Amino acid sequence: MASHVGGYLRHIMDTCAQNRSGQVADYIPELAAVDPDGYGLSLCVHDGHTYSCGDSDHEFTIQSVSKPLTYAMVLSRLGAVAADPKIGVEPSGEAFNEISVDARRRPRNPMINAGAIMSASLLLPPVRDVAESVIVSTFAEIVDFYSACAGRRLTMDEAVYTSESRTGSRNRAIAYMLDSFGTLDTSPDAALDLYYRQCSIRVTTDDLAVIAATIANGGLNPRTGRHVFNQEVAQRVLSVMTTCGMYDGAGDWVTSVGLPAKSGVGGAIMAVLPGQLGIGVYSPRLDEHGNSVRGGETCRHLSTDLGLHMFNVTRESRVTIRAVYDISDVPVGTEWSEQERGFLRTCRDRVRVYELQGDLTFGGAESALRRLETDMDDFVVAIVEISRIGVIDPVARTMILSMKRTLEERGRQAMLVDPDGVMRDSVDRHRHDAIAPDLNVPEDLRGLDPTLPHVHATMDAAVADAEEFLLKRARDETVRDSG
């Protein structure tokens, strides 16, 4: 249930926290002064529920993680037909701050600095003399857009903005190079100023996870229900994040992590599993590509341990719970005495059935088990019916099996209807794990009792077992009260 997802995340953070390699970005004075040991992780699922660990409420500047958002604004306002002649979509194979253009003298993609400066320029009026008031008003629109993606009001860090403005010689060179090519339609200084401002917006890992989930949902913020941009924009942004978001490390990232992502020199990584969830990680020490060392390692563990690689071949349905109902319409078993049958008629609503469907992976298991936890006060017995489940991946298997322990701790009972024996192989795997523990499973789940005795081939058998449990529970309560 929810606590088990948190257990996975804490386990991953504990593993990655040992890695203290890399250096903070010292070429921006304000970033050089941050605590290098800061570490936060957030995961936002498709309905907006967010799991937060570590320094998830610590604010830091968004830096280059802003690039896909400003590109989304450009696409929303101008469309790809107008944006493509100005910004390419091909990987550069170079560092983020390279002075990189293609044969048409366009920035190669919107994820490198040249492309990001061009994106900012396209939000300004096409005039050479841009008043500061216009820059300020345009930046206010950027803040509004970012805030709509995050689901809360964001602000700018004035100190970081000033620091970047004073030390951004290389970005200044990039802007003037673009201007010399005749590709900028506005003032290079205005475009730079707007770019520095957007990089200085303050966020948390919770914010990044919600922004990523908004992109995953095709532009729909899962917390507010607001459509910030459309599906076509989301598809274009995800495509460019996949091929270009991690700079000259993009190929290794797609292979080993398999999540569209964007990093920033402030130490953040934002990653997206399309249609399912968003991830925000913060840890300031950077590798040679300018990507967070622990952030990258964290995302690799999330992808591997939780089965999040976007090219996992499953048939998972977004709606994993097919139906939820009680057994009010199911006749009471004939094997009980008349008095027992009378009691059982009064508590049919205390047995709740959850029918699952599709191939069950982390996202579906999380959603289903969180629904069970939410409903726990409304039932005594939960019957999970998995006849329409084709494949259960290792993480989802562990989460489903953990249901037994969690419900028993609350005085309830979990039962499984598994007519095709899908869970039997999983039980055997858990027995193997008990001998040779899977290091990808958090320690508190490795000792999980793998037997799960309340597995039935039919719903009738599960209902009979539920009735027996209710009767035994009532007898125990009677003895306890009389004693």
Side-chain angles (χ1 to χ4, degrees):
M1 296 195 174
S3 59
H4 296 310
V5 175
Y8 273 111
L9 300 185
R10 288 189 296 273
H11 168 71
I12 288 171
M13 287 190 72
D14 289 344
T15 300
C16 298
Q18 311 306 314
N19 189 341
R20 299 170 64 85
S21 62
Q23 302 292 329
V24 299
D26 57 4
Y27 56 88
I28 300 173
E30 284 294 318
L31 297 188
V34 302
D35 177 6
D37 293 320
Y39 189 17
L41 170 62
S42 301
L43 185 149
C44 179
V45 294
H46 66 86
D47 62 359
H49 185 83
T50 302
Y51 299 94
S52 307
C53 296
D55 300 322
S56 59
D57 58 353
H58 170 71
E59 288 193 335
F60 50 89
T61 52
I62 193 169
Q63 298 299 326
S64 288
V65 182
S66 65
K67 292 172 180 175
L69 298 182
T70 297
Y71 185 55
M73 279 190 72
V74 170
L75 292 173
S76 297
R77 289 190 175 189
L78 305 180
V81 172
D84 286 350
K86 293 291 187 179
I87 312 171
V89 292
E90 296 295 336
S92 68
E94 298 172 328
F96 66 93
N97 59 357
E98 284 296 313
I99 301 176
S100 178
V101 294
D102 62 17
R104 297 166 60 182
R105 293 190 167 182
R106 301 176 304 174
R108 292 186 183 276
N109 63 72
M111 302 295 113
I112 58 175
N113 288 12
I117 293 169
M118 180 62 76
S119 291
S121 78
L122 293 175
L123 298 177
L124 293 166
V127 296
R128 303 298 295 180
D129 186 13
V130 181
E132 183 178 358
S133 61
V134 174
I135 300 173
V136 171
S137 63
T138 304
F139 177 63
E141 294 170 359
I142 288 177
V143 173
D144 287 344
F145 186 85
Y146 288 22
S147 298
C149 293
R152 77 173 183 100
R153 190 67 187 172
L154 304 178
T155 59
M156 185 182 77
D157 188 315
E158 292 282 354
V160 172
Y161 161 67
T162 301
S163 183
E164 294 203 35
S165 299
R166 289 174 177 171
T167 59
S169 297
R170 190 174 187 87
N171 285 328
R172 198 166 289 111
I174 292 172
Y176 276 92
M177 176 203 67
L178 295 174
D179 189 48
S180 73
F181 291 157
T183 57
L184 280 183
D185 296 329
T186 191
S187 160
D189 292 318
L192 271 173
D193 191 35
L194 190 59
Y195 173 65
Y196 291 143
R197 288 172 186 266
Q198 76 175 43
C199 289
S200 302
I201 291 175
R202 299 176 67 87
V203 292
T204 66
T205 58
D206 279 357
D207 293 328
L208 292 185
V210 174
I211 292 170
T214 298
I215 301 173
N217 285 348
L220 173 68
N221 186 304
R223 283 188 166 178
T224 66
R226 177 180 173 184
H227 276 281
V228 187
F229 47 88
N230 63 35
Q231 177 65 47
E232 290 74 18
V233 169
Q235 179 176 305
R236 171 68 75 104
V237 169
L238 284 169
S239 298
V240 179
M241 287 174 65
T242 300
T243 56
C244 310
M246 302 303 285
Y247 307 125
D248 44 337
D252 175 67
W253 181 270
V254 172
T255 302
S256 62
V257 180
L259 296 171
K262 187 70 198 77
S263 62
V265 296
I269 294 179
M270 178 179 74
V272 181
L273 180 56
Q276 294 192 44
L277 54 85
I279 297 165
V281 193
Y282 169 72
S283 183
R285 291 191 178 93
L286 310 178
D287 63 16
E288 67 275 15
H289 302 297
N291 300 325
S292 170
V293 174
R294 286 195 299 203
E297 187 177 354
T298 299
C299 289
R300 285 184 178 85
H301 275 281
L302 287 167
S303 176
T304 302
D305 299 358
L306 303 186
L308 302 185
H309 198 294
M310 65 181 175
F311 295 132
N312 277 344
V313 183
T314 62
R315 304 185 307 276
E316 180 179 20
S317 169
R318 173 86 170 263
V319 185
T320 302
I321 298 179
R322 180 175 182 270
V324 179
Y325 53 89
D326 61 34
I327 62 170
S328 297
D329 295 331
V330 178
V332 176
T334 58
E335 64 269 33
W336 314 116
S337 69
E338 197 56 43
Q339 182 179 3
E340 290 170 333
R341 286 166 56 82
F343 167 76
L344 291 172
R345 290 190 188 97
T346 68
C347 53
R348 308 304 274 173
D349 61 337
R350 303 297 285 166
V351 179
R352 186 164 294 189
V353 179
Y354 295 82
E355 294 184 0
L356 306 186
Q357 65 182 10
D359 283 0
L360 199 58
T361 61
F362 167 78
E366 183 278 331
S367 179
L369 295 181
R370 183 155 48 86
R371 172 67 185 273
L372 274 170
E373 184 176 67
T374 300
D375 293 349
M376 199 177 292
D377 291 338
D378 298 328
F379 65 74
V380 173
V381 179
I383 301 176
V384 179
E385 203 270 0
I386 62 170
S387 64
R388 294 175 179 83
I389 293 293
V391 175
I392 303 178
D393 79 5
V395 170
R397 176 197 66 224
T398 302
M399 294 172 70
I400 292 294
L401 290 175
S402 73
M403 172 185 66
K404 168 178 177 278
R405 182 180 65 177
T406 303
L407 265 63
E408 285 179 350
E409 289 172 352
R410 299 278 293 272
R412 287 155 175 77
Q413 189 66 269
M415 298 176 186
L416 206 64
V417 177
D418 182 18
D420 299 319
V422 174
M423 190 59 74
R424 290 193 186 98
D425 180 56
S426 297
V427 170
D428 290 341
R429 174 64 182 272
H430 264 274
R431 287 177 177 147
H432 175 269
D433 287 346
I435 300 170
D438 184 349
L439 297 181
N440 290 333
V441 175
E443 187 173 353
D444 65 327
L445 295 183
R446 289 183 211 156
L448 183 68
D449 174 10
T451 55
L452 192 61
H454 299 279
V455 179
H456 301 283
T458 68
M459 181 61 70
D460 287 345
V463 169
D465 193 9
E467 291 175 341
E468 183 176 356
F469 176 78
L470 290 171
L471 290 170
K472 180 180 183 304
R473 191 169 187 262
R475 293 189 203 103
D476 291 344
E477 289 177 353
T478 300
V479 171
R480 197 162 47 246
D481 292 343
S482 62

